[in-house]
């Protein structure tokens, strides 16, 4: 397991390396810790994974220079993934458990020219999370369903024949259920806790897993919160204002890099 200082140093290293890769073509807005280290369920074998969000440099926009955005860069201690600000803004329009995570990251290395804009996004993250609650709910339930199917799939990559289930699928299912339970109580929480860590390690019997899956999925459903959608769904005007604000954020991201055209 890594110390917090080690994680901070590694995330900064990720950002510097990604900036060097995209130099002259894009400017790094933020590099965020994601994955098990961010959820508090890291083990001795856990990597330090990150997501880097990049804004095309003015030269790239003016010349339509091609740039591969959805990339993965392996490191000795983990994997750094990249995403363009186009994709980031588009996904925030209808956020889900994955696309919202950078705004709740425990460790973020921010490009100095973007510090104010990133702070604005982080300050608005609660509103972002609940601007389209039905889509968030449906997407998370879909993810939970997919992990439930993967849980007992014997041909799956991480299926453990001795345990009779896939510990990794159980871990992802459990953290999504935990996230949704908090979400239905109008909270956002990515912290998983020791109980989910034990599931990730494969410390539960198949009988315990069967019981957990049944109760967790039932507890995550909106059927236990009949008043929820009626109270939480914003008006069309609120959604329109949010979409306009996001659009302006995207424009500001591009505008900010005009003075840093060849910098990263």
């Amino acid at each position: 397991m890594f110390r917090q200082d080690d994680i901070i140093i590694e995330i900064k290293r990720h950002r510097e390396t990604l900036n060097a890769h995209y130099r002259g073509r894009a400017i790094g807005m933020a590099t965020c810790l994601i994955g098990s280290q961010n959820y508090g369920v890291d083990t001795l074998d856990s990597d330090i994974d990150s997501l880097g969000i990049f804004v095309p440099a003015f030269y790239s926009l003016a010349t339509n220079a091609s740039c591969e955005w959805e990339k993965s860069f392996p490191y000795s201690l983990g994997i750094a993934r990249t995403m363009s600000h186009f994709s980031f803004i588009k996904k925030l329009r209808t956020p889900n458990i994955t696309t919202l995570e950078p705004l709740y990251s425990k460790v973020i290395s921010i490009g100095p020219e973007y510090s104010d804009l990133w702070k604005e996004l982080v300050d608005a993250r609660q509103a972002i999370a609940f601007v389209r609650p039905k889509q968030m709910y449906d997407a998370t339930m879909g993810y939970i369903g997919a992990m439930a199917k993967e849980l007992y799939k014997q041909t799956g990559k991480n299926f453990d024949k001795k345990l009779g289930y896939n510990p990794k699928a159980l871990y992802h299912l459990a953290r999504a259920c935990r996230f949704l339970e908090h979400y239905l109580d109008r909270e956002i929480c990515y912290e998983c806790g020791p109980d989910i860590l034990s599931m990730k390690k494969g410390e539960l019997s198949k009988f315990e897993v069967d019981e957990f899956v049944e109760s967790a999925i039932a507890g995550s459903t909106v059927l236990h919160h009949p008043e929820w959608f009626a109270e939480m769904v914003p008006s069309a005007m609120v959604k329109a204002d949010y979409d306009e604000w996001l659009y302006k954020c995207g424009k500001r991201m591009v505008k900010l890099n005009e003075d840093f055209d060849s910098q990263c």
Side-chain angles (χ1 to χ4, degrees), residues 6-263:
D6 296 328
I7 295 173
I8 292 172
I9 291 171
E10 185 65 10
I11 292 300
K12 286 182 178 178
R13 188 168 78 91
H14 283 202
R15 179 174 176 269
E16 290 167 359
T17 306
L18 294 175
N19 282 345
H21 175 80
Y22 286 114
R23 189 174 301 279
R25 296 177 294 163
I27 298 169
M29 179 167 66
T31 302
C32 312
L33 176 71
I34 60 172
S36 59
Q37 301 281 355
N38 198 44
Y39 309 144
V41 288
D42 49 302
T43 64
L44 291 173
D45 299 324
S46 293
D47 297 328
I48 298 177
D49 296 332
S50 68
L51 174 68
I53 302 166
F54 281 77
V55 183
F58 185 73
Y59 173 82
S60 298
L61 291 172
T63 61
N64 290 320
S66 62
C67 196
E68 295 182 16
W69 292 112
E70 308 293 332
K71 289 178 68 69
S72 296
F73 298 83
Y75 289 80
S76 58
L77 299 179
I79 296 176
R81 297 176 176 84
T82 56
M83 172 190 293
S84 74
H85 81 292
F86 297 117
S87 295
F88 184 58
I89 290 295
K90 182 178 179 181
K91 290 177 179 179
L92 282 184
R93 190 170 178 271
T94 53
N96 59 42
I97 186 174
T98 301
T99 59
L100 194 64
E101 185 181 351
L103 297 180
Y104 286 85
S105 178
K106 294 177 181 177
V107 180
I108 306 172
S109 181
I110 304 171
E113 59 269 28
Y114 288 101
S115 57
D116 290 343
L117 180 52
W118 187 263
K119 182 180 184 302
E120 184 177 334
L121 288 168
V122 170
D123 288 345
R125 62 187 183 180
Q126 189 78 1
I128 293 172
F130 290 96
V131 72
R132 287 185 169 87
K134 187 177 188 307
Q135 287 89 333
M136 172 73 88
Y137 173 80
D138 289 344
T140 309
M141 285 300 293
Y143 182 77
I144 291 170
M147 290 300 101
K149 290 180 180 178
E150 194 69 23
L151 185 59
Y152 300 119
K153 189 177 178 181
Q154 296 188 16
T155 56
K157 180 181 177 182
N158 296 290
F159 184 82
D160 190 311
K161 292 182 179 179
K162 291 182 180 179
L163 293 173
Y165 64 89
N166 181 334
K168 190 169 185 178
L170 176 62
Y171 152 61
H172 287 302
L173 183 152
R175 73 176 180 85
C177 285
R178 180 69 51 83
F179 176 89
L180 197 52
E181 287 172 12
H182 282 281
Y183 190 76
L184 291 173
D185 287 330
R186 301 166 179 76
E187 300 173 352
I188 299 296
C189 180
Y190 281 90
E191 192 72 25
C192 289
D195 55 335
I196 294 181
L197 177 58
S198 67
M199 296 178 193
K200 181 182 178 183
K201 292 179 177 179
E203 295 176 350
L204 272 67
S205 68
K206 187 174 181 299
F207 175 76
E208 291 172 318
V209 170
D210 292 341
E211 281 197 328
F212 166 78
V213 171
E214 183 177 352
S215 63
I217 292 179
S220 299
T221 62
V222 79
L223 296 176
H224 292 262
H225 304 260
E227 78 295 343
W228 193 79
F229 279 134
E231 294 180 0
M232 291 301 299
V233 177
S235 67
M237 181 62 72
V238 170
K239 294 177 185 176
D241 289 343
Y242 171 71
D243 291 345
E244 179 65 18
W245 174 74
L246 267 187
Y247 171 73
K248 289 179 178 178
C249 284
K251 288 183 67 176
R252 286 167 60 197
M253 289 173 188
V254 175
K255 177 67 175 174
L256 281 168
N257 73 22
E258 291 183 2
D259 295 329
F260 301 91
D261 184 26
S262 60
Q263 299 178 33

